[in-house]
Amino acid sequence: MREPSKNFNPLFTPTEVEKMGLTWLVAAGIVTAFLWQIPMGNYILYPFSILATWFHEMGHGLMALILGGQFQKLEIFGNGSGVAHYTLSNGWGYLGIGLVAAAGPMGPPLAGAGLILASGSLKTTSLSLKILGGFLLLSTLIWVRSWFGFVAIPLLGFMILGIALKTPLWVQGFAIQFLGVQACVSTYHQLDYLFSYTAGPLGLSDTGQMQQYLFLPYWFWGLLMAIASLMILIQSLRVVHTQKSAK
């Protein structure tokens, strides 16, 4: 049996593979953002659309919890839509409402950046995939209260856990970065919603609520979050691949 090189580091793939992986990740992010703008794209990216909705609605619910309120339930539907039901503490006033509204669009990019940065080592890569898969399952038990959500969210959780437990290390590393990219670009899932004041019969959109309670116009908040999501994605990819190249 051939002995491994003493210079081999099992935590990182070769530089050539890393560069190829980065190229594919950037390309995947651009293609995903484009596909989500056309009708056929929602069918092609259906599992990621459901995951994006979960990230978004969990952002609302968890921010409500952080601010001392209650996250009552989460509903996710087959058409890719969802709604988080929550209550807020009166102590935060308008600021609390605005922060919970912002946490929907901004929760996924922040979570995605965390996944990308976690890919810097073998230990954090595997652990983060297990945490994400486990949290999908846990959220189903605690908050999900729609029949579609009871099926789709655990299925996604088991798939991610399967990657963490049954695939080679390079697959895990690429998978967690790919999921991170998908989370970051999920901000662009519904650009028309991000730049809309209302959300149809549901009332105000997230940016519409931010305009009402944080005073600046909805298009300003939509533009700010779109730019911030892109910058978060670029910076997280740059940091993790710079670290790997230095090893």
Side-chain angles (χ1 to χ4, degrees), residues 29-196:
I30 294 173
V31 170
T32 298
F34 170 75
L35 286 175
W36 262 331
Q37 308 313 311
I38 61 177
M40 184 60 67
N42 284 327
Y43 295 100
I44 298 173
L45 299 170
Y46 187 70
F48 301 109
S49 296
I50 300 302
L51 187 60
T53 299
W54 181 82
F55 276 124
H56 182 110
E57 301 304 337
M58 288 296 295
H60 287 311
L62 293 178
M63 179 57 74
L65 281 177
I66 291 171
L67 298 180
Q70 294 182 335
F71 185 5
Q72 298 166 321
K73 65 178 180 178
L74 170 61
E75 294 180 295
I76 294 180
F77 308 104
N79 63 359
S81 65
V83 57
H85 299 263
Y86 56 85
T87 60
L88 276 175
S89 170
N90 293 330
W92 287 90
Y94 288 172
L95 178 61
I97 299 174
L99 288 175
V100 172
M106 289 308 301
L110 293 174
L115 292 174
I116 293 170
L117 293 174
S119 68
S121 74
L122 167 63
K123 182 178 180 180
T124 55
T125 294
S126 182
L127 178 61
S128 296
L129 283 171
K130 293 172 184 175
I131 289 174
L132 177 58
F135 195 47
L136 282 158
L137 299 179
L138 182 64
S139 71
T140 303
L141 295 175
I142 299 177
W143 294 298
V144 173
R145 294 298 180 269
S146 61
W147 285 111
F148 178 81
F150 273 128
V151 175
I153 301 306
L155 182 59
L156 289 171
F158 283 124
M159 290 173 64
I160 292 172
L161 286 174
I163 293 173
L165 297 172
K166 299 295 184 179
T167 63
L169 302 182
W170 71 268
V171 173
Q172 295 181 39
F174 185 83
I176 195 171
Q177 289 190 352
F178 183 77
L179 289 173
V181 169
Q182 294 299 310
C184 288
V185 300
S186 69
T187 302
Y188 303 92
H189 184 197
Q190 292 180 312
L191 277 178
D192 55 343
Y193 174 78
L194 194 64
F195 288 96
S196 297

